[in-house]
Amino acid sequence: MKLYMQVLIALGLGLKRNWHIFAGLVLGVIAGIWLHKDPNPIVMTTFTFIGQVFIRLIQMVVIPLVISAIVIGITSVSDSKQIGKLGSKMVLYYAILTIIAVTLGASLALLFQPGLGASSFINTDVATDVQAHVAATIETQKGNLLNIILGFIPKNPLASIAAGDMVPILVFAVFFSVALAKVGEINRPFVSFFESIFAATMKITDWIMCFAAPGVFALTAVAVSAFGVEIFTTISKYLGVLALGFAIQLFVVFPIFLRIFSKVPIWMLYAAIAEAMMVAFGTASSSATLPLTIACCEKRGISHKVTSFVIPLGATLNMDGTALLQVVAVIFLAQAYGVALTPFLVVQICLLAIVASSTCAGIPGAGIITIALVLNGMGLTPEELVAGFAFLFTIERITDMMRTLVNVTSDAVVAAAIADNENEINYDLLNNPEEYNEVIN
Ligand code: ASP
């Protein structure tokens, strides 16, 4: 091999893996723009394949990882009062951040009215029907909510595992783990069994992450090639409102939250989880990023006791970015179809988005699908609003990448705050990047 090639490769391998993934992202955007202008089916098929291999590999470890992490997390908190304390604090923190996200989304969408731009594309007859449906069904939401809650309880946990339904799996895993914690020493063989599963799945994650840079490159290229840059101009207001909301959540809300509830320096935390943030952006999947989120937090000093409890639950239940998107998207549709946005309706949209986002799996596209729950709550169906949805779908992937980044960051922020409150964080490791190696050694 030529000397300059050897030098280039050595330089590349010497870079931190963060930068490999980042380079994958940037090159993916460039390749996507190029592919949009000059589509090449063979290249597209190859990129789609590489991206799918990466996502599938990483999804492969999610269910064993989630269950084993929760079992270890809960059983390692030997004192059952402490489980209650950790659990209630986690729910409180997740709730605070999600409520702020939906309030932020609603305020920005009402202020900038992104949907008005789309109203000229909407058939007026359809718009009249939509307005009538919303008016007629606005009072009848409660049954829906109860059904959603019923769906959280698994009739058959194994069937939920086979179907990959995350919320029922989590409910069962939590019950099971609390019971194991309560029965005392007799739980040892079972807990050891889950400890082995956890260690093995983390090892597999290490291997898979060697493939992160090409995986993220291919996924980004395919996503960008679908719409090119032009679409940004057509729907720029909607995208702008979302980007602003996500940025405020990331750079204002999370830092203030950490300042109020902990003494964790936000930039140190962001440096610690940079790799997970980039993979979240590239894969648009909180679940796929989960192993890495845990690894990043632990390598930088957040205890296993906290990460294994808070992050797996957060990866499914805590979806601030998704909740924010759902509120903005539904208000966008309401504006496009001329539905009167009364304060009552706005509050209702926010509450439904909190429920819908937390039932949403951490996989690409789940958030836009569970918008149906919010619309059902308003007496509408996505089919009825198909013209409006077409707008949202054109840029769905890019908004998914952004909201997933927020979702994953939020899980780490809550884990860090709880770790700080419970004295479960090693500040020497967190504050001193020199002290730790790459997440994957
Ligand atoms: N893709 C998001 C996530 O994995 C969920 C969503 O579609 O909003 O966090």
Side-chain angles (χ1 to χ4, degrees), residues 284-287 319 322 360-368 396 400 403-404 407:
S285 169
S286 310
S287 296
M319 299 265 180
T322 301
C360 148
I363 55 171
I368 199 99
E396 158 56 11
D400 200 3
R403 67 188 187 249
T404 309
N407 291 342

Side-chain angles (χ1 to χ4, degrees), residues 387-418:
F389 257 101
F391 278 89
L392 308 184
F393 267 105
T394 48
I395 51 160
E396 158 56 11
R397 177 72 191 194
I398 188 79
T399 65
D400 200 3
M401 292 158 114
M402 297 196 289
R403 67 188 187 249
T404 309
L405 190 155
V406 175
N407 291 342
V408 166
T409 308
S410 171
D411 299 339
V413 163
V414 170
I418 294 182

Side-chain angles (χ1 to χ4, degrees), residues 238 322-323 325-330 333 352-353 356-357 359-360 365-378 380-382 385 389 392 396 403:
Y238 170 70
T322 301
L325 168 115
Q326 291 181 331
V327 169
V328 174
V330 173
L333 292 172
L352 286 165
S357 66
T359 61
C360 148
I368 199 99
I369 294 167
T370 51
I371 280 187
L373 282 179
V374 184
L375 294 176
N376 285 351
M378 299 161 68
L380 298 171
T381 60
L385 309 180
F389 257 101
L392 308 184
E396 158 56 11
R403 67 188 187 249

Side-chain angles (χ1 to χ4, degrees), residues 209-377:
M209 289 321 294
C210 301
F211 190 54
V216 166
F217 163 79
L219 288 167
T220 313
V222 172
V224 174
S225 72
F227 51 78
V229 263
E230 294 84 52
I231 193 70
F232 286 119
T233 42
T234 322
I235 200 170
S236 55
K237 216 169 175 191
Y238 170 70
L239 191 64
V241 167
L242 280 176
L244 181 63
F246 293 144
I248 295 178
Q249 189 79 359
L250 275 177
F251 299 116
V252 180
V253 176
F254 292 158
I256 295 179
F257 174 87
L258 274 187
R259 178 148 278 220
I260 295 176
F261 292 102
S262 77
K263 46 186 189 313
V264 174
I266 187 85
W267 296 113
M268 284 300 164
L269 180 70
Y270 282 4
I273 60 165
E275 216 171 319
M277 287 161 101
M278 283 188 271
V279 169
F281 189 79
T283 59
S285 169
S286 310
S287 296
T289 316
L290 172 65
L292 191 63
T293 319
I294 296 181
C296 287
C297 289
E298 288 185 9
K299 285 276 173 174
R300 289 291 294 270
I302 300 176
S303 82
H304 184 62
K305 187 158 131 187
V306 172
T307 56
S308 60
F309 182 51
V310 175
I311 298 183
L313 288 168
T316 304
L317 299 177
N318 179 43
M319 299 265 180
D320 312 2
T322 301
L324 193 151
L325 168 115
Q326 291 181 331
V327 169
V328 174
V330 173
I331 293 183
F332 170 93
L333 292 172
Q335 287 164 346
Y337 286 85
V339 174
L341 283 157
T342 58
F344 177 80
L345 183 58
V346 174
V347 172
Q348 193 185 25
I349 292 173
C350 290
L351 290 178
L352 286 165
I354 293 175
V355 178
S357 66
S358 48
T359 61
C360 148
I363 55 171
I368 199 99
I369 294 167
T370 51
I371 280 187
L373 282 179
V374 184
L375 294 176
N376 285 351

